Amino acid sequence: MSKLIYILNGPNLNLLGQRQPEIYGYDTLADVERNCAAVAAEKGFEVKLFQSNHEGVVIDTIHEARQTACGIVINPGAFTHTSVAILDALNAFEGPVIECHISNVHKREAFRHHSYISLRADGVMAGFGVEGYELAVRRICSIVSAKK
Ligand code: DQA
C-alpha cells in the first residue's frame, strides 16, 4: 500500500508568498512542501507537491494519483468554484481527499462560497493559513493508517 500523499495546487498558487500576502501570507509552496514532509515523516508517510495553472494538468495528476498515492490534499485555487471536471477526476480516486484553502473562503466574496470539490472531499480546511496543509496531511495519515 502506497504511503505517498499528493499535495495538489491549482492556478496562481505558484505565486504563494508574493501574491496578496495580506490574504495568503508570505510562506511559499516550497515551505509548504517542507513542513508537510516533516509532518508526514513523523507518521511514516511521504508527500509530493504539485502545482499547475492548467485544469487539464491538475486532472492528469489526479489520474496519476490513482496508481501512486494513498491520499490527496488539494487546493484547487479558483478551479474550486468552477470545475466539474476536477470533481469528476477526484470521484475516480479511491483514497481520502482533503480540500484545503489558505484563506477562509466563507468570509470572502459570495462566488467563493460554493465549492464543487466539497461534494467529494472527506474534509475541508479553510482559513488556517498554510498550516491547513499540514493539518490536512495529518488527517490523511490518520485515515489511511486506520484502514489497515
Ligand atoms: C484559495 C481560495 C480561492 O477562492 C482562490 O481562488 C485561490 C486560493 C485559498 O487557498 O484560499 O486561488 O483556494
Side-chain angles (χ1 to χ4, degrees):
M1 143 79 88
S2 161
K3 293 277 208 163
L4 181 62
I5 299 168
Y6 275 19
I7 304 174
L8 304 186
N9 291 275
N12 301 305
L13 287 159
N14 53 311
L15 298 180
L16 194 62
Q18 303 167 41
R19 164 205 186 205
Q20 295 182 281
E22 68 286 0
I23 297 176
Y24 300 113
Y26 288 95
D27 284 333
T28 65
L29 278 187
D31 296 324
V32 169
E33 185 168 33
R34 195 186 53 245
N35 295 340
C36 287
V39 167
E42 276 173 29
K43 309 277 180 192
F45 286 76
E46 287 181 322
V47 300
K48 197 168 171 187
L49 186 141
F50 300 85
Q51 189 279 329
S52 178
N53 294 323
H54 305 279
E55 188 174 15
V57 175
V58 175
I59 292 164
D60 288 343
T61 310
I62 295 167
H63 292 177
E64 176 189 303
R66 283 162 47 82
Q67 317 302 328
T68 54
C70 63
I72 296 176
V73 174
I74 183 163
N75 182 350
F79 291 150
T80 306
H81 319 298
T82 62
S83 183
V84 176
I86 291 177
L87 169 64
D88 285 349
L90 288 170
N91 278 332
F93 178 77
E94 286 189 358
V97 173
I98 306 290
E99 177 181 348
C100 182
H101 301 286
I102 298 162
S103 66
N104 181 0
V105 282
H106 300 290
K107 207 178 163 187
R108 301 181 64 193
E109 302 96 322
F111 65 82
R112 295 185 203 277
H113 298 177
H114 177 261
S115 166
Y116 285 102
I117 308 312
S118 294
L119 290 166
R120 165 63 179 89
D122 298 294
V124 181
M125 301 296 306
F128 287 77
V130 292
E131 266 183 80
Y133 287 91
E134 293 163 49
L135 296 167
V137 164
R138 203 175 282 280
R139 180 67 186 147
I140 298 233
C141 294
S142 304
I143 295 170
V144 172
S145 300
K147 271 193 189 151
K148 277 183 239 153

